[in-house]
Amino acid sequence: MSALLFWSRANVSQPFYSPYRSEGVAAGAQAVNRSSVAALTFLLWDILITMDDEVKYIWSRAWSYTKCIYFFVRYLPVMVQISILFIGTELTPHFHFTPHDCYIWQIYQGVAASSVVVTVDTVLILRIHALYHGHLAIRRVVGVFFLLEIVGMVVGLALSLPGVTFDNLCLVVHVPGPLILYGASSIVFQSFLFSLTVYKYMQAARSGWGDVPLIILLMRDGTWAFFLLFVVYVGQIGLYALPKDKDPFAGVLFGWLLTAFSFSGYRILINLNHLAENTNGSQNRTSNIHRTDTNIQFSTQIFDSQRQTYAQGESYELTPFSLRGRDSRTGGRTFETSQISTLSLGK
């Protein structure tokens, strides 16, 4: 029985117990519950249809920093979303949560969501390092913005969580304004990373290698991931800004926020592996790929049209903190004159 119908029947003096204090709260709970179930269903469906890619590209590889990130962003949001289905629903009265328990649940949700956001941002940062060949100035600027994002999220949570109020079912009935800082920090950082991606793609196009498969993939995935996360975040912030009587609807997009970040993170990594597999197959695995600490591969190939062979250009090591270029036998070549062939999780 839906929360709204449950309340309505109780309101007309029928012998039904309503756990909600008003019809507005019941409607908000219903909207949040249905949205959360829909977000979880979509995420589980996408995990199932990409399971063959996971088995092919991920399972056979040695454990590494990047492989851990993949499993974290793919499965932690699922577990979090399943757990929060027991909060603010018709099942909640059976658990007899106290106000302190409700507060702990909110801290749990905030920390879990922040962990997923920061981890996915790490994947996006590695993409920027690859595009800019680990340029020192870019690394430092991105690092500063990343730190500011984390500080903004922590401050937003710290200022808002003590002011969040609940009803007897742990359903949020009031969200303080400072929570907007949490979402705004991430939006600003995502916009910054997207602007760096667009700039490098335009630079690549002007240099004549904007049609390199890896560059196209990084630009394509960066674009849809940015707009997906941007829309969900803006929608969530808009819900936080609703009038006080609409606060029970504030959590409608929380499940979709977890789903969007999870989807973006593991899809980007799967797509990179898929491109690497196709590239290696088409070149009969003649490319010279340098293994890295994070098992992300980054290499360049220079095609000699006269000899009809591939000559080794530059190889780069992509680590969480650095991207170092190595000189080649053919002489120093820059990012603008080399072709990037693959970027993927290592085996």
Side-chain angles (χ1 to χ4, degrees):
M1 184 180 298
S2 72
L4 184 58
L5 180 60
F6 204 36
W7 188 91
S8 298
R9 297 185 68 175
N11 196 41
V12 294
S13 301
Q14 293 192 22
F16 283 89
Y17 166 71
S18 172
Y20 301 101
R21 66 185 188 184
S22 69
E23 185 175 1
V25 173
Q30 182 185 75
V32 171
N33 294 343
R34 290 184 175 181
S35 179
S36 298
V37 171
L40 176 60
T41 301
F42 173 82
L43 186 57
L44 289 174
W45 171 77
D46 193 68
I47 287 175
L48 290 176
I49 65 173
T50 56
M51 184 58 67
D52 56 338
D53 291 326
E54 177 181 309
V55 173
K56 181 178 181 180
Y57 300 128
I58 308 298
W59 285 14
S60 61
R61 303 183 187 277
W63 281 99
S64 63
Y65 172 80
T66 312
K67 186 173 181 178
C68 291
I69 286 179
Y70 172 85
F71 283 111
F72 185 88
V73 301
R74 186 166 168 94
Y75 294 109
L76 179 67
V78 173
M79 294 185 288
V80 173
Q81 291 192 64
I82 291 175
S83 66
I84 63 178
L85 290 178
F86 297 95
I87 303 299
T89 68
E90 290 86 353
L91 297 175
T92 307
H94 299 288
F95 297 96
H96 306 290
F97 291 128
T98 65
H100 178 71
D101 295 332
C102 296
Y103 181 69
I104 296 301
W105 270 105
Q106 292 303 312
I107 294 178
Y108 160 71
Q109 292 183 49
V111 171
S114 300
S115 300
V116 173
V117 170
V118 170
T119 306
V120 173
D121 284 345
T122 301
V123 176
L124 301 178
I125 289 173
L126 290 177
R127 293 171 59 258
I128 297 299
H129 283 184
L131 281 173
Y132 284 84
H133 277 202
H135 191 280
L136 182 60
I138 295 296
R139 283 164 45 198
R140 289 178 175 175
V141 173
V142 170
V144 170
F145 271 80
F146 187 42
L147 179 61
L148 291 176
E149 179 199 25
I150 295 175
V151 171
M153 294 171 65
V154 171
V155 171
L157 285 177
L159 293 177
S160 59
L161 283 178
V164 176
T165 56
F166 323 90
D167 64 5
N168 59 313
L169 298 180
C170 293
L171 180 68
V172 175
V173 295
H174 174 64
V175 178
L179 193 58
I180 294 178
L181 179 62
Y182 175 92
S185 300
S186 186
I187 288 178
V188 171
F189 184 67
Q190 298 295 331
S191 300
F192 171 66
L193 293 183
F194 181 64
S195 65
L196 290 178
T197 302
V198 172
Y199 174 78
K200 180 54 68 174
Y201 179 77
M202 294 175 61
Q203 188 180 54
R206 288 195 300 266
S207 300
W209 48 269
D211 58 346
V212 173
L214 177 61
I215 300 301
I216 295 175
L217 177 66
L218 293 178
M219 182 61 194
R220 185 199 70 189
D221 285 358
T223 300
W224 66 253
F226 168 75
F227 283 104
L228 173 62
L229 300 178
F230 181 83
V231 169
V232 176
Y233 250 133
V234 170
Q236 185 63 67
I237 291 177
L239 291 174
Y240 290 153
L242 287 174
K244 189 173 182 178
D245 62 325
K246 298 296 183 181
D247 277 348
F249 292 86
V252 167
L253 292 180
F254 180 77
W256 285 105
L257 186 66
L258 292 174
T259 292
F261 269 94
S262 177
F263 177 85
S264 300
Y266 70 72
R267 277 283 185 171
I268 286 174
L269 294 176
I270 287 177
N271 291 344
L272 289 171
N273 276 273
H274 182 69
L275 175 64
E277 183 77 11
N278 291 341
T279 302
N280 291 339
S282 64
Q283 296 179 0
N284 295 320
R285 302 189 180 278
T286 59
S287 60
N288 296 287
I289 299 175
H290 193 83
R291 301 289 179 190
T292 72
D293 295 337
T294 61
N295 279 339
I296 291 183
Q297 302 168 358
F298 185 81
S299 68
T300 59
Q301 296 294 329
I302 306 169
F303 184 73
D304 189 332
S305 59
Q306 295 179 347
R307 297 183 181 181
Q308 298 294 312
T309 60
Y310 283 92
Q312 180 180 2
E314 299 168 308
S315 63
Y316 296 86
E317 294 180 354
L318 181 59
T319 71
F321 307 104
S322 66
L323 189 63
R324 302 182 293 275
R326 296 179 180 270
D327 294 333
S328 67
R329 293 173 298 177
T330 59
R333 293 180 63 89
T334 65
F335 186 63
E336 287 74 14
T337 58
S338 299
Q339 287 188 344
I340 305 171
S341 64
T342 184
L343 171 64
S344 71
L345 289 169
K347 294 183 179 179

